[in-house]
Amino acid sequence: MRKKLTERQLEILQFIEDFVEENNFPPTYREIGKKFNIASTFGVKRHIDALVKKGYLTTESNSFRSISLKDRKKNVNCEENNYVSVPLVGKVAAGYPVLAEENIEGNISLDASLLKSKGNLFGLKVQGDSMIEAGIFEGDLVIVKSQKICQNGDIIVALVEDESTLKRYVKKNGKTFLMPENPDFEPIDVTNNKNFQIVGKVIAVYRSFN
Amino acid sequence: MRKKLTERQLEILQFIEDFVEENNFPPTYREIGKKFNIASTFGVKRHIDALVKKGYLTTESNSFRSISLKDRKKNVNCEENNYVSVPLVGKVAAGYPVLAEENIEGNISLDASLLKSKGNLFGLKVQGDSMIEAGIFEGDLVIVKSQKICQNGDIIVALVEDESTLKRYVKKNGKTFLMPENPDFEPIDVTNNKNFQIVGKVIAVYRSFN
DNA sequence: TTGACAAGTGCACATAAGTTCACTATATTT
DNA sequence: AAATATAGTGAACTTATGTGCACTTGTCAA
């Protein structure tokens, strides 16, 4: 249990929460002061310092608008009761953010204990069987962490020439390949390919049988 | 549909999303520039302006750290989800009901939409790699529906001579086999084997990477 | 009385950060 | 060849914003 707050501190914490909810960024000391008729920012500062000390906030010193609410429910993934809700993405097209509203076909809730990664996650139905030897089949659901870069050996979702594809990302001898895990498919050399773009890294696979 | 983004704009939008996710407050132009090796904040500014113009962001002019992602999924609907809680079973031993309390190591909640079957379900960590060609690897979590009989071709959890095993159930020429899906393993003939017992049918597989 | 907190004021200060401008470079399109 | 869009540089400018200090007020307990 965290330390008890004074009434004033509570009010201010509440205001910061509301402000962040409203604006997606935290208020400045002067904005807080204005709301509570505190003329001096130093007065505000001491409240903030107290809230930091008691474990409700963090701030970056000498940085503006850097108040961060601790343990706040991120609205990207709803993590109430250890569930993580991930959007189900229909298609991946070049030039649009994967998580754009238009792409999202639904949501799936997963138990947080099943997911080892955090961040921008989404689910994607697998098309094609280029990864069968990696145990990923057509129709499987893959959980993808949205990211632009990845490590050698990661299984990724990528865009190549406006086509989205699921492959293993391999760097070898200064070249970059997308390796299928199916003898019927050929590796794709994407070294210096300008129409190649990483969409995200596969962090989990789910398959259900009839 | 919002306007298409250039690759650079997409990268930057992605970075902002990640940054907000990480810090709960948006980055400054210089922080963005630093990440992408853009020396001049003006270069960054024009990207931000473009993203605002295309409807992906809003900013407060002359205010620091005031980038706000538009249409963040605040409307995550946590309410209307159906969860199914399945027990995680540690080991399957003969003579004990699989779902006996002693065997249960925890619970996992799954979105009902992921499960096509109802009934007595449980989760089981896969040991051994006899089913790799069916895309089930060691360490995977299989969701099993507890049942005593099954259909030809089902992947099942069975007890043979007090050992629990994961195999495909195949009837052929009046005989019953447990078929591994790995060339290194031999089929097991369980025809008339009194120490053979079906525990349940695998209805789903879940695997997380790393 | 003393002292300790909590809360606030007013000012000066340093600087982090957004804005603007002129200029360059590369594609792609007309 | 000219025009347009994207991308970046570097410097100058402005100001929003956090920090520090000295001082005041009120409350509550020892």
Side-chain angles (χ1 to χ4, degrees):
Chain A
M1 196 64 169
R2 285 181 292 191
K3 283 179 197 159
K4 208 176 166 183
L5 296 177
T6 67
E7 204 175 317
R8 202 63 166 153
Q9 288 163 2
L10 201 65
E11 277 185 308
I12 287 170
L13 180 60
Q14 188 66 55
F15 170 70
I16 294 169
E17 282 174 3
D18 292 348
F19 190 101
V20 171
E21 174 72 18
E22 174 83 15
N23 300 284
N24 289 330
F25 51 81
T28 63
Y29 289 4
R30 280 171 182 81
E31 282 166 344
I32 297 171
K34 197 175 169 190
K35 207 74 182 180
F36 293 98
N37 290 318
I38 303 174
S40 172
T41 55
F42 188 58
V44 176
K45 179 177 166 49
R46 271 212 311 266
H47 284 126
I48 302 301
D49 288 348
L51 285 164
V52 169
K53 205 169 176 183
K54 292 183 181 177
Y56 292 84
L57 299 177
T58 61
T59 58
E60 302 280 313
S61 64
N62 289 312
S63 185
F64 306 154
R65 286 194 198 278
S66 63
I67 297 172
S68 171
L69 295 158
K70 264 192 167 174
D71 90 359
R72 89 175 236 269
K73 320 176 216 60
K74 319 216 166 177
N75 46 16
V76 185
N77 300 324
C78 133
E79 287 177 40
E80 273 173 63
N81 334 355
N82 9 339
Y83 299 125
V84 178
S85 177
V86 302
L88 198 57
V89 167
K91 59 185 185 306
V92 179
Y96 297 98
V98 192
L99 294 173
E101 208 180 318
E102 304 88 305
N103 287 340
I104 295 174
E105 297 188 342
N107 274 275
I108 291 177
S109 293
L110 291 173
D111 194 302
S113 69
L114 292 175
L115 295 169
K116 289 168 187 166
S117 301
K118 296 205 162 192
N120 278 325
L121 307 180
F122 62 94
L124 190 64
K125 268 262 151 52
V126 175
Q127 294 178 331
D129 52 359
S130 64
M131 295 300 284
I132 51 173
E133 292 193 348
I136 302 176
F137 300 165
E138 175 139 29
D140 287 2
L141 174 73
V142 288
I143 309 297
V144 184
K145 179 178 182 182
S146 189
Q147 54 185 47
K148 288 276 152 201
I149 51 168
C150 63
Q151 304 287 310
N152 195 5
D154 285 349
I155 295 174
I156 62 169
V157 174
L159 279 174
V160 186
E161 321 286 352
D162 281 14
E163 287 278 315
S164 73
T165 182
L166 187 68
K167 294 284 183 308
R168 192 179 294 278
Y169 179 85
V170 176
K171 282 197 157 186
K172 202 164 60 178
N173 303 330
K175 291 195 158 192
T176 308
F177 297 94
L178 297 183
M179 303 290 292
E181 303 244 337
N182 181 335
D184 299 340
F185 288 76
E186 292 298 316
I188 305 174
D189 186 347
V190 290
T191 321
N192 302 324
N193 185 335
K194 276 190 268 181
N195 290 314
F196 162 68
Q197 177 192 336
I198 297 173
V199 175
K201 173 186 169 182
V202 174
I203 61 163
V205 190
Y206 181 86
R207 169 165 60 254
S208 72
F209 299 98
N210 292 355
Chain B
M1 199 71 162
R2 283 181 293 190
K3 283 179 196 159
K4 202 173 169 181
L5 297 177
T6 67
E7 203 177 320
R8 202 62 168 155
Q9 290 162 1
L10 200 65
E11 278 185 307
I12 288 170
L13 179 61
Q14 186 69 55
F15 170 71
I16 295 170
E17 283 176 3
D18 291 349
F19 190 102
V20 172
E21 170 74 18
E22 175 86 12
N23 299 284
N24 291 332
F25 51 82
T28 63
Y29 289 5
R30 282 170 181 83
E31 282 166 345
I32 297 170
K34 198 175 168 191
K35 208 72 182 182
F36 293 99
N37 290 317
I38 303 174
S40 171
T41 54
F42 186 57
V44 176
K45 180 176 166 50
R46 271 215 308 267
H47 284 126
I48 301 301
D49 288 346
L51 284 164
V52 169
K53 204 169 174 183
K54 293 182 181 178
Y56 293 86
L57 299 177
T58 61
T59 58
E60 302 283 312
S61 64
N62 289 311
S63 184
F64 304 158
R65 286 195 198 278
S66 63
I67 297 171
S68 170
L69 295 158
K70 258 194 171 176
D71 90 11
R72 296 301 280 164
K73 293 145 253 134
K74 290 185 178 172
N75 46 350
V76 185
N77 30 2
C78 315
E79 334 91 50
E80 57 187 279
N81 284 319
N82 296 339
Y83 300 115
V84 177
S85 182
V86 302
L88 199 57
V89 167
K91 60 186 185 300
V92 179
Y96 294 97
V98 193
L99 295 172
E101 209 179 318
E102 307 88 293
N103 287 340
I104 295 174
E105 297 189 340
N107 273 276
I108 291 176
S109 292
L110 290 174
D111 194 303
S113 69
L114 292 174
L115 297 168
K116 291 170 185 164
S117 302
K118 297 204 163 193
N120 277 326
L121 306 180
F122 63 94
L124 189 66
K125 267 263 150 56
V126 175
Q127 294 177 333
D129 52 0
S130 65
M131 296 299 283
I132 52 171
E133 292 192 349
I136 302 176
F137 300 165
E138 175 139 32
D140 287 2
L141 173 73
V142 288
I143 309 297
V144 184
K145 179 178 180 180
S146 191
Q147 55 186 48
K148 290 280 160 202
I149 53 167
C150 64
Q151 303 289 309
N152 194 6
D154 285 350
I155 295 174
I156 62 168
V157 174
L159 278 173
V160 186
E161 320 287 352
D162 281 14
E163 288 278 314
S164 73
T165 181
L166 187 68
K167 295 285 183 306
R168 192 180 294 278
Y169 180 85
V170 176
K171 283 196 155 184
K172 200 163 62 178
N173 305 330
K175 292 196 160 191
T176 307
F177 296 94
L178 297 184
M179 304 289 290
E181 303 244 339
N182 181 336
D184 299 341
F185 288 76
E186 293 298 317
I188 305 173
D189 186 346
V190 291
T191 322
N192 303 323
N193 184 334
K194 294 218 178 115
N195 290 316
F196 162 70
Q197 177 192 337
I198 296 174
V199 175
K201 173 186 168 183
V202 173
I203 61 163
V205 191
Y206 180 85
R207 170 164 61 252
S208 71
F209 297 98
N210 290 0

